[in-house]
Amino acid sequence: GSLRKAVEDVFGECDDAVQENKGTTLTYTKSDKKYAAFVFDNKTLKLKSVTYFNNAVPEAYEDAEKQEEEEADKKDEYVKPDALGNDITSGTMQIEGDLYKLPILVSELIDNGWEITFKEDRAILYGNEHLFGTLKKGDIEISGVDVYNFDKTDCLIKNCYVISMEASADTDYTVVLPKNIKVGMSEADYLAAINGLEYDFDSTHFNE
């Protein structure tokens, strides 16, 4: 509805003016990726349509893309073990047949068919944030899984790490530790497995 003169008063002289049957088009070009085109009726000289075009990559998208690239490198930081070994303090474990090493990169678990969920719908963890979630795979469920973001900045959950989890006699999944230690073994077999290792023993309330 604005007159051509009013538009030109605001935006100045256009970069290109083309008169056709549909009307006169004034084009203002900022770059090959950004322009605005104003079409005026040839009789009334009033503005009847506007086209804004911006094909430049948004800055926020570039930042997110950079973050994705940086976080993708974390996949290379995680070293997947190829054997359980004999060091019970190594953090190496076998969960449902697959080998992992604490802290476990969440994407490693996802790649092996696990789904991780939290009470609140979250896609990221804030810098140095802990979040307790649940791992699910078919009918198997591991609750109380502590996921941690080691970075000081926000990080996608899949690129964060599981730093703590628990297996007990009540669980229905199999976890095997170095020296073939697992829930359900007898105390005698356990003591035989750790024979020669230094440890503290506390029997105040239960044998630990």
Side-chain angles (χ1 to χ4, degrees), residues 153-174:
T153 56
D154 298 351
C155 182
L156 293 172
I157 286 175
K158 68 177 183 178
N159 291 315
C160 294
Y161 291 84
V162 171
I163 63 171
S164 175
M165 57 196 307
E166 183 178 305
S168 70
D170 300 325
T171 58
D172 55 359
Y173 55 94
T174 303

Side-chain angles (χ1 to χ4, degrees), residues 78-85 92-94 97-101:
Y78 177 78
V79 180
K80 186 175 181 178
D82 53 14
L84 274 174
T92 304
M93 64 179 71
Q94 187 181 62
D98 294 310
L99 288 171
Y100 302 95
K101 184 179 178 68

Side-chain angles (χ1 to χ4, degrees), residues 39-68:
V39 181
F40 298 87
D41 185 275
N42 286 331
K43 292 182 179 179
T44 65
L45 301 183
K46 288 185 176 182
L47 181 63
K48 64 178 186 178
S49 69
V50 182
T51 300
Y52 271 10
F53 180 84
N54 184 352
N55 194 31
V57 178
E59 183 178 343
Y61 182 87
E62 290 179 333
D63 291 344
E65 199 172 48
K66 182 180 179 182
Q67 182 185 9
E68 283 282 355

